[in-house]
């Protein structure tokens, strides 16, 4: 894919493999080889760039191992009971070509207000910075590349539904938390970033200032 055609997309993904210690990382190349890298670093010539989300999701969570020549070999996706398996795993890392919009508080309030209490909802930000929600009983979270930033799963009327959306203090805090998570997502390229804990959350204006200054690398 040529650069001009590629940049018509908002973003592409690289496949970065990370050791369990987090000290070693590799990036998949167009020719199928792997180069050593810093996890989430800027794009370089020869990096495999994926714009199809389904293709990128197929790589997410795949396990790899080192070969004798220092390259990586695909082992396969861990089984259901291999959650704590140590090793090298593949991650899809987004790289943006345009500055995304800043998430809007009114959109968060609208999503929260639309949710029916009693269902385990996950409120999240997608890769376009839009607030969304999914029913965790039927939709996956792990490996879901629509989820850039995620909140906690909630079903109580204190956290989802019209009553929750009317709680200005709660919505202000939740919005600030999502802005903090969104900033971390943009800076690190990590997907499924958890919002910061309330006690570690900064004020809204601080996040807005940092987000307005952020530019794609």
């Amino acid at each position: 894919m040529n650069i001009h055609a590629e940049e018509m997309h908002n973003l592409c993904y690289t496949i970065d493999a990370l050791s369990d210690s987090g000290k070693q990382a590799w990036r998949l190349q167009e020719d199928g080889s792997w180069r050593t890298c810093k996890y989430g670093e800027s794009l370089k010539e020869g990096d495999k760039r994926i714009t199809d989300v389904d293709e990128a999701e197929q790589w997410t969570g795949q396990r790899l191992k080192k070969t004798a020549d220092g390259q990586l070999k695909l082992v396969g996706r861990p089984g259901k009971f291999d959650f704590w398996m140590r090793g090298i795993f593949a991650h899809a890392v987004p790289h943006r070509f345009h500055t995304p919009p800043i998430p809007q508080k009114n959109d968060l309030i609208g999503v929260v207000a639309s949710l029916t209490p009693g269902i385990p909802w996950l409120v999240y930000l997608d890769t376009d910075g839009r607030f969304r929600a999914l029913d965790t009983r039927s939709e996956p979270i792990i490996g879901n590349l629509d989820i850039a930033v995620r909140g906690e799963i909630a079903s109580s009327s204190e956290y989802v539904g019209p009553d929750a959306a009317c709680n200005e203090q709660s919505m202000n805090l939740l919005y600030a938390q999502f802005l903090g998570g969104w900033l971390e997502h943009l800076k690190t390229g990590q997907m499924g970033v958890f919002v910061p804990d309330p006690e570690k959350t900064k004020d809204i204006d601080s996040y807005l200032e940092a987000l307005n200054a952020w530019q794609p690398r």
Side-chain angles (χ1 to χ4, degrees):
M1 179 181 291
N2 65 58
I3 296 297
H4 294 296
E6 184 183 67
E7 292 194 3
M8 291 176 64
H9 298 268
N10 288 328
L11 56 79
C12 73
Y13 295 93
T14 57
I15 305 303
D16 289 17
L18 190 65
S19 66
D20 50 23
S21 67
K23 294 181 178 179
Q24 290 182 287
W26 302 260
R27 178 167 292 171
L28 182 64
Q29 302 295 282
E30 286 286 357
D31 63 5
S33 64
W34 296 81
R35 70 170 178 85
T36 56
C37 69
K38 179 181 178 182
Y39 184 87
E41 71 180 27
S42 300
L43 291 166
K44 292 186 178 179
E45 191 71 28
D47 291 345
K48 184 173 180 61
R49 305 177 183 198
I50 300 173
T51 56
D52 182 79
V53 175
D54 290 337
E55 181 183 352
E57 283 187 346
Q58 288 300 311
W59 278 98
T60 303
Q62 296 280 3
R63 187 167 182 257
L64 305 108
K65 68 176 181 179
K66 272 188 179 181
T67 60
D69 61 358
Q71 280 293 305
L72 297 182
K73 178 182 178 181
L74 188 65
V75 175
R77 196 176 297 279
K80 184 182 296 186
F81 301 105
D82 296 332
F83 182 78
W84 297 110
M85 182 184 292
R86 297 173 64 84
I88 300 169
F89 288 90
H91 305 265
V93 176
H95 300 267
R96 298 177 182 276
F97 302 116
H98 309 286
T99 304
I102 293 175
Q104 298 297 303
K105 185 172 73 171
N106 284 343
D107 294 338
L108 170 63
I109 293 171
V111 168
V112 171
S114 72
L115 302 178
T116 303
I119 294 172
W121 296 104
L122 177 75
V123 177
Y124 68 94
L125 281 169
D126 67 15
T127 54
D128 291 323
R130 296 173 297 193
F131 284 102
R132 306 286 193 189
L134 62 80
D135 182 344
T136 61
R137 299 172 302 178
S138 56
E139 298 181 67
I141 298 176
I142 297 175
N144 186 337
L145 291 184
D146 194 43
I147 302 173
V149 181
R150 56 162 295 180
E152 298 290 345
I153 297 171
S155 59
S156 166
S157 60
E158 292 182 54
Y159 301 102
V160 296
D163 291 344
C166 290
N167 187 326
E168 184 176 2
Q169 183 177 359
S170 176
M171 289 298 99
N172 282 339
L173 173 58
L174 187 59
Y175 179 58
Q177 288 178 284
F178 269 106
L179 290 182
W182 184 241
L183 183 60
E184 181 181 351
H185 162 73
L186 293 179
K187 286 182 173 180
T188 65
Q190 293 182 0
M191 298 296 297
V193 172
F194 278 90
V195 298
D197 293 334
E199 61 271 16
K200 296 180 180 179
T201 301
K202 299 178 182 178
D203 63 90
I204 290 173
D205 288 341
S206 295
Y207 288 129
L208 291 177
E209 181 179 358
L211 288 169
N212 279 312
W214 186 87
Q215 293 291 324
R217 290 177 290 176

